[in-house]
Amino acid sequence: MDALIDVRSLCFRYDDGTVALDGVDFQLYPGETVAIFGANGSGKTTFVLHLNGLLMGGGAITICGNAVNKQNLSRVREKVGVVFQDSEMQLFMPTVLEDVAFGPLNLGLSREEASERALEALKQVGMSGCAARAPYHLSAGEKKRVAVAGILAMRPEILVLDEPTTFLDPPGQRSLIELFESLPQAKILVTHDVECARALAHRAVFFEKGRIRGEGSVEDIVARFNWDRTVIRRPTSSRH
Amino acid sequence: MHHVVLDRWGCGLSPVHRRDPRAKMLAALIFLVALATSHQSYLAVSAVYFALLVTAIFAAGLPPAAVLRRAALVLPFSLVFAAMSVASGDTTRAISLVVKSYLSALVVLVLVSTTPLPQLLGGLERTAVPRFLLLVVQFLYRYLFVISEEAQHMRAAAAAKGGSMGRVISRRRHFGAAAGAVGVLFARSYARAEAIHLAMLARGFAGHFRPLAKSSFRKLDAAFLAGAVAAIVLLRAAIEAWT
Ligand SMILES: Nc1ncnc2c1ncn2[C@@H]1O[C@H](COP(=O)(O)OP(=O)(O)O)[C@@H](O)[C@H]1O
Ligand SMILES: [Mg+2]
């Protein structure tokens, strides 16, 4: 089976000299969800920014058979939908509907098609009632859903979710996980949230200092890198 | 609340908000030209134009006091030039400068507070305005609302630590701290504006705002434009004929 995303020897250094990616090889196959774990600063977001050509480093990336380069940018951005960590930065239009229609309009769809797609995407994320509202009046969970709708309206084949559950309360996290479960696309899920990865991911990779240090099932990776916040309490006699 | 007030005003649904951005821009442009070129009876013309703008503000449902106050932001600049005119013995010119600059600021403010920026830019794109200029305006827009938001966050953070930005900045011995805060503000705002730009690119943005709302120029827009132009031109002509 051909990989949807094929990354070979990806390297990237920021202008200030920070080496953020140092030889990453990665594949995503149709229908699967891969969790990306790793400490803060290990290069996860930098990696994500390469998947739709927002950053371009050394090495090679192929998305659904298209090399990521200047000529293919619009095709690649149509295939890979990235939901960024901070939804505040994804919502910039005056109303929710206009915001969600922003991507489809950029794809060259007519106003009618764009607004149809936007309404459909809003329905998919359970936000139909908010089409006419201003995005900055929404709660964090609602903003995230609208940001996801803005991506879904472009009908991408691949969803990349960068720490999607971060700013949400537990019920908000749960319902977002349920939403992602219901979406058929192949997904890359960058997260610190092991529960979220357990619920959604078929396998996981572990980033460290710009490289992939391990690959396996979510449980394998969590055990191997001690990637869990459960505190093991030693029994003490003096406590009551 | 965490947003630039213009953006909030721009989202209204009044008849003025609903007019085609091109009709409003053209009316504002004619207003500016008529104002700038009125000489002998400019004071009477200005008074009548002021009344026109106040009518527009009420029709648009904008908060009048807040709008009038915001337009006064240009006054410090025009007062400097006015002072130079007074110094060279030309008081009439000084007064005319102040009055005209205030009214010009007010008409532009009414325009932008009744037209969401993406719509305004969409309207501008279909005129002869150079694309480079549009990109600059887009960037400023992103940047401005981000700065105001970051400033609010920082003010909240300062308050949480028992300080206040105002107090920090007003005390001279804290000037260093204030300058530092402003530096941080700009650095953070820049980073955020960049992040927003990336998010726009990720959704296929290629430099054009394509508004969702159909801005076909309707009969109502033509009527609005005709009415506005007639008021602007005829009122001035009437005043000039009369004096
Ligand atoms: N714009 C930038 N300029 C310079 N260095 C950066 C920039 N963004 C991230 N970095 C650095 O690159 C490394 C990887 O960052 P990032 O990809 O954001 O990590 P993660 O998402 O895993 O937390 C970090 O050392 C970070 O400090
Ligand atoms: Mg990150």
Side-chain angles (χ1 to χ4, degrees):
Chain A
M1 194 159 36
D2 284 344
L4 291 176
I5 295 185
D6 190 5
V7 179
R8 307 270 167 176
S9 319
L10 183 64
C11 296
F12 185 77
R13 175 201 294 266
Y14 281 102
D15 287 339
D16 64 359
T18 312
V19 176
L21 296 176
D22 189 15
V24 173
D25 292 288
F26 177 89
Q27 282 79 36
L28 180 77
Y29 291 96
E32 72 169 346
T33 296
V34 179
I36 296 184
F37 292 128
N40 294 326
S42 56
K44 305 179 300 292
T45 297
T46 307
F47 176 69
V48 161
L49 293 175
H50 280 81
L51 298 178
N52 62 0
L54 291 174
L55 291 177
M56 293 202 194
I61 303 182
T62 320
I63 305 288
C64 306
N66 302 291
V68 178
N69 56 31
K70 288 234 159 61
Q71 290 74 48
N72 283 338
L73 271 188
S74 59
R75 204 169 323 153
V76 164
R77 286 176 184 164
E78 196 175 338
K79 303 251 183 235
V80 183
V82 179
V83 179
F84 293 95
Q85 177 171 7
D86 189 350
S87 14
E88 299 265 346
M89 318 227 181
Q90 282 205 25
L91 307 175
F92 35 74
M93 298 297 273
T95 66
V96 167
L97 184 68
E98 284 171 277
D99 206 284
V100 177
F102 179 80
L105 285 170
N106 287 333
L107 293 180
L109 298 183
S110 72
R111 290 195 175 89
E112 290 72 26
E113 286 171 301
S115 118
E116 213 168 278
R117 276 207 193 186
L119 287 169
E120 194 187 308
L122 282 171
K123 195 166 161 197
Q124 215 173 349
V125 302
M127 291 289 292
S128 294
C130 296
R133 290 177 64 188
Y136 48 92
H137 287 154
L138 304 176
S139 73
E142 292 170 330
K143 278 181 188 165
K144 182 60 83 181
R145 283 171 179 274
V146 171
V148 172
I151 299 303
L152 291 179
M154 297 179 75
R155 308 232 171 111
E157 287 183 36
I158 301 154
L159 284 176
V160 180
L161 312 163
D162 194 356
E163 305 199 24
T165 55
T166 313
F167 300 111
L168 307 184
D169 53 24
Q173 298 185 0
R174 196 189 327 124
S175 71
L176 195 69
I177 292 172
E178 282 164 6
L179 167 64
F180 291 145
E181 252 177 335
S182 74
L183 300 174
Q185 285 93 340
K187 298 176 201 76
I188 293 179
L189 172 69
V190 175
T191 192
H192 292 312
D193 183 344
V194 175
E195 286 312 314
C196 175
R198 282 196 179 109
L200 294 173
H202 304 99
R203 61 188 177 95
V205 298
F206 191 87
F207 266 61
E208 194 178 79
K209 298 197 178 112
R211 289 166 179 247
I212 292 183
R213 289 289 161 170
E215 194 167 349
S217 73
V218 173
E219 293 314 324
D220 285 347
I221 296 293
V222 168
R224 212 153 107 208
F225 294 92
N226 198 12
W227 209 245
D228 204 333
R229 67 175 165 228
T230 313
V231 179
I232 298 160
R233 296 208 185 278
R234 288 186 200 85
T236 48
S237 52
S238 63
R239 285 173 76 198
H240 40 213
Chain B
M1 179 183 134
H2 279 249
H3 220 264
V4 152
V5 69
L6 280 185
D7 241 39
R8 206 170 50 214
W9 289 350
C11 292
L13 293 169
S14 79
V16 185
H17 285 83
R18 286 203 300 266
R19 293 289 64 76
D20 187 283
R22 286 164 293 182
K24 284 184 272 187
M25 282 189 288
L26 204 54
L29 192 67
I30 290 167
F31 182 100
L32 286 170
V33 172
L35 178 68
T37 54
S38 82
H39 293 298
Q40 260 82 45
S41 32
Y42 78 90
L43 269 180
V45 171
S46 298
V48 171
Y49 280 7
F50 181 72
L52 275 182
L53 287 179
V54 170
T55 313
I57 290 171
F58 276 101
L62 300 172
V67 176
L68 296 178
R69 217 172 330 111
R70 248 153 226 276
L73 281 176
V74 294
L75 289 180
F77 302 99
S78 39
L79 283 174
V80 170
F81 290 105
M84 279 156 47
S85 293
V86 172
S88 63
D90 195 348
T91 323
T92 319
R93 197 179 146 77
I95 297 171
S96 135
L97 230 157
V98 171
V99 169
K100 285 182 179 177
S101 63
Y102 180 74
L103 284 179
S104 306
L106 192 57
V107 75
V108 172
L109 190 62
V110 171
L111 172 66
V112 297
S113 12
T114 55
T115 318
L117 206 99
Q119 259 190 46
L120 200 60
L121 289 169
L124 281 173
E125 267 180 24
R126 273 168 282 149
T127 63
V129 175
R131 260 182 61 65
F132 173 72
L133 208 64
L134 288 173
L135 287 174
V136 172
V137 176
Q138 276 170 30
F139 184 78
L140 279 179
Y141 168 68
R142 260 198 321 271
Y143 199 57
L144 275 181
F145 96 69
V146 160
I147 285 187
S148 90
E149 238 175 74
E150 281 295 341
Q152 288 184 31
H153 289 166
M154 285 177 59
R155 200 157 54 202
K161 292 178 201 152
S164 88
M165 293 279 270
R167 214 161 66 209
V168 169
I169 290 168
S170 65
R171 270 195 234 152
R172 203 171 309 155
R173 67 194 166 91
H174 284 163
F175 185 77
V182 171
V184 172
L185 174 64
F186 276 91
R188 280 172 47 166
S189 304
Y190 183 75
R192 280 205 49 183
E194 275 303 297
I196 291 176
H197 185 55
L198 283 185
M200 292 170 77
L201 293 179
R203 288 208 266 155
F205 185 65
H208 304 267
F209 267 109
R210 306 187 58 224
L212 183 63
K214 199 180 261 141
S215 65
S216 59
F217 206 88
R218 270 166 293 204
K219 279 201 192 104
L220 258 174
D221 300 311
F224 166 83
L225 182 59
V229 172
I232 293 165
V233 173
L234 294 180
L235 283 172
R236 183 181 142 179
I239 290 168
E240 280 171 356
W242 183 53
T243 50

